[in-house]
Amino acid sequence: MEKFIVQGGKRLEGVIRVGGAKNSILPILAAVLLNKSGDEIILTNVPRIRDVIKMVEILRSLGAEITWSGNDMAVSTTNLTGFAVDEKLMREMRSTVFLMGAILARFGQVCISHPGGCAIGQRPIDLHLKGLMALGAQLREKHGYIYASCSRLTGADIHLDFPSVGATENIMLASVYARGVTVINNAAKEPEIVDLQNLLNKMGARIRGAGTDQVRIEGVSQLHGVQYAVIPDRIVAGTLMMAAVATGGDVTLEQIIPNHLDAVTAKLRETGVQIREENDRLRIQAPPRIRAIEFVRTLPYPGYPTDLQAPMMAVLARARGTSIIVENVFDSRFKHVGELNRMGAQIIVTTDNRTAIVHGVERMTGASVTAPDLRAGAALVVAGLAAEGETVIDGLEHIVRGYENLEGDLTKLGADIRRINDNT
Ligand code: UD1
């Protein structure tokens, strides 16, 4: 089993570059399946993380030809052979649900196994399925599989009950070749949706409105190859910001889009951290101990991101005073609380599992902890950097889903963190 061993108490300092966004590249890898032209698609700034590697495996299993060169990738989808996503691959990665829209649009049919629940709540896919049905897809669910088919999808007016990121992307992908116009109302506004729109439009699609709550897709009959750079990962950037804050550090992030982090920056400023933004750089200078903040409420973009709720909790655990964190996006996203408390934090979760009351403590101490999911794992790393003594973090398989080289980045900034393979 792989583990991180962190010796806490080292102040982080220096400059670090942030790579491409996991939540952009995953739907983009679905979008490339729409390309029937015979042209290649070149993607740059692609993070080499576990989720991307899994997605590449899935694409290859459908017949795509993919070659990597560093963080660049060439994809040819001329000779696709299948429309059924292998169950084992599907189970390993929930994000495959938005392959549905793209495969359906390309082949007129798709078969995936139902993604089921996951560590951070039920994560239903009803909004995805309702959207596809509104476009004319016929759905059957049997023995844990979902089979969808259509002749040609037809544009429709769709209203999402909740601005789901995945459902917005899935419907965008499904409607690129649809007859007529599709309008998604109450669409999610995340920057990754804008990135997907930009890629698709560069391939010849006609989409506008991404980044607002109404996305309008005019169906086209052809797409073509493209070269495209994935936007920087705002969640990785935010995690590194938290790591800097946890250690009272002075860190500059490079190659990011600072305004994607506005909600995070605003909250950190409330704690007494100084943040300066300049073009694609952001410098964080943190005091040895931050102030608590009254409330952090996770919300769809541009609200405070749920993916940075756990890392924020890890820094507030050592703040002066009490902070309240409300999780509004997912129904079970406080699995890190018990682990942080093992390290000396004093955090209570209300019975509805929505609110955490964080009583800041002066000191946290190293302990053996387990990452319950991706971002909770990142939070434990952040906590370990600030804790006294040694923290051993298990469950690395979650963390490597979304961070290309977290230990390398942190080491570069002066942290003492090692990745070990312990076969006990
Ligand atoms: C995406 C991100 C994830 C992030 C989340 C919220 C990717 C690959 N993942 O996940 O990192 O934490 O956005 O910012 O981009 N919901 C339904 N029915 C549906 C779909 C969603 O009820 O059909 C609910 C979910 O249970 C959840 C909420 O909507 O409570 C938000 O989910 P959604 O925005 O869809 O998140 P994902 O796309 O899964």
Side-chain angles (χ1 to χ4, degrees), residues 51-132:
D51 271 9
V52 171
I53 291 162
K54 289 278 163 219
M55 191 67 149
V56 164
E57 258 183 70
I58 292 174
L59 260 55
R60 284 188 175 137
S61 76
L62 297 171
E65 287 163 37
I66 300 178
T67 47
W68 283 94
S69 159
N71 288 100
D72 299 345
M73 180 187 272
V75 191
S76 164
T77 53
T78 319
N79 301 313
L80 291 190
T81 47
F83 60 86
V85 182
D86 180 80
E87 183 183 355
K88 187 171 157 284
L89 294 173
M90 178 81 196
R91 281 198 182 280
E92 287 172 23
M93 215 184 79
R94 186 189 181 279
S95 310
T96 40
V97 64
F98 50 51
L99 284 170
M100 277 191 89
I103 299 177
L104 188 63
R106 172 90 187 247
F107 287 105
Q109 52 187 333
V110 58
C111 180
I112 62 163
S113 78
H114 198 291
C118 84
I120 60 171
Q122 285 199 340
R123 301 190 90 164
I125 57 164
D126 54 316
L127 301 173
H128 298 246
L129 302 185
K130 273 195 218 164
L132 297 180

Side-chain angles (χ1 to χ4, degrees), residues 22-24 26-27 94-95 98 120 122-129 162-167 169 188 190 192 234-235 299-300 305-307 328-331 333 375:
K22 159 177 142 342
N23 290 352
S24 265
L26 293 175
R94 186 189 181 279
S95 310
F98 50 51
I120 60 171
Q122 285 199 340
R123 301 190 90 164
I125 57 164
D126 54 316
L127 301 173
H128 298 246
L129 302 185
F162 184 91
S164 154
V165 175
E169 292 165 344
E190 269 67 3
E192 293 75 20
R234 63 196 166 96
I235 307 301
L299 285 171
T306 173
D307 287 348
N328 291 308
V329 179
F330 287 108
D331 56 14
R333 210 171 190 182
R375 306 303 173 186

Side-chain angles (χ1 to χ4, degrees), residues 37 42 44 81 151 160 237 336 345-346 414 419:
S37 70
I42 310 287
T44 62
T81 47
S151 44
L160 297 179
H336 42 287
Q346 286 186 18
R419 184 165 165 172

Side-chain angles (χ1 to χ4, degrees), residues 63-318:
E65 287 163 37
I66 300 178
T67 47
W68 283 94
S69 159
N71 288 100
D72 299 345
M73 180 187 272
V75 191
S76 164
T77 53
T78 319
N79 301 313
L80 291 190
T81 47
F83 60 86
V85 182
D86 180 80
E87 183 183 355
K88 187 171 157 284
L89 294 173
M90 178 81 196
R91 281 198 182 280
E92 287 172 23
M93 215 184 79
R94 186 189 181 279
S95 310
T96 40
V97 64
F98 50 51
L99 284 170
M100 277 191 89
I103 299 177
L104 188 63
R106 172 90 187 247
F107 287 105
Q109 52 187 333
V110 58
C111 180
I112 62 163
S113 78
H114 198 291
C118 84
I120 60 171
Q122 285 199 340
R123 301 190 90 164
I125 57 164
D126 54 316
L127 301 173
H128 298 246
L129 302 185
K130 273 195 218 164
L132 297 180
M133 283 193 288
L135 296 172
Q138 279 152 6
L139 257 71
R140 274 183 291 140
E141 288 189 61
K142 226 176 179 182
H143 309 305
Y145 282 89
I146 306 171
Y147 178 78
S149 61
C150 61
S151 44
R152 183 176 170 195
L153 296 172
T154 306
D157 256 29
I158 296 169
H159 184 94
L160 297 179
D161 295 338
F162 184 91
S164 154
V165 175
T168 303
E169 292 165 344
N170 217 345
I171 298 165
M172 283 167 75
L173 291 163
S175 55
V176 163
Y177 288 137
R179 195 181 299 118
V181 174
T182 299
V183 179
I184 311 171
N185 294 297
N186 198 26
K189 297 184 274 204
E190 269 67 3
E192 293 75 20
I193 290 168
V194 180
D195 211 29
L196 180 63
Q197 166 179 285
N198 290 344
L199 165 94
L200 286 166
N201 283 350
K202 265 189 128 181
M203 289 168 70
R206 287 204 197 126
I207 308 177
R208 54 191 165 87
T212 75
D213 60 8
Q214 190 183 69
V215 181
R216 191 174 181 281
I217 305 110
E218 203 180 309
V220 296
S221 54
Q222 281 278 12
L223 294 178
H224 49 76
V226 72
Q227 172 156 350
Y228 193 79
V230 178
I231 57 166
D233 196 310
R234 63 196 166 96
I235 307 301
V236 171
T239 306
L240 294 170
M241 289 168 81
M242 299 302 167
V245 173
T247 65
D250 181 351
V251 169
T252 299
L253 304 179
E254 273 186 339
Q255 292 194 28
I256 62 161
I257 303 176
N259 75 320
H260 288 173
L261 285 150
D262 280 351
V264 180
T265 302
K267 280 290 146 193
L268 285 178
R269 282 188 175 135
E270 280 182 41
T271 69
V273 172
Q274 269 192 31
I275 299 177
R276 267 181 289 164
E277 296 167 14
E278 197 186 314
N279 304 320
D280 67 347
R281 289 162 72 96
L282 185 148
R283 181 172 179 188
I284 309 118
Q285 290 170 289
R289 194 168 176 208
I290 57 170
R291 290 192 295 270
I293 29 185
E294 206 176 344
F295 276 110
V296 180
R297 292 187 180 85
T298 68
L299 285 171
Y301 191 85
Y304 187 89
T306 173
D307 287 348
L308 289 172
Q309 178 258 106
M312 176 64 107
M313 191 181 292
V315 298
L316 291 176
R318 276 190 59 254

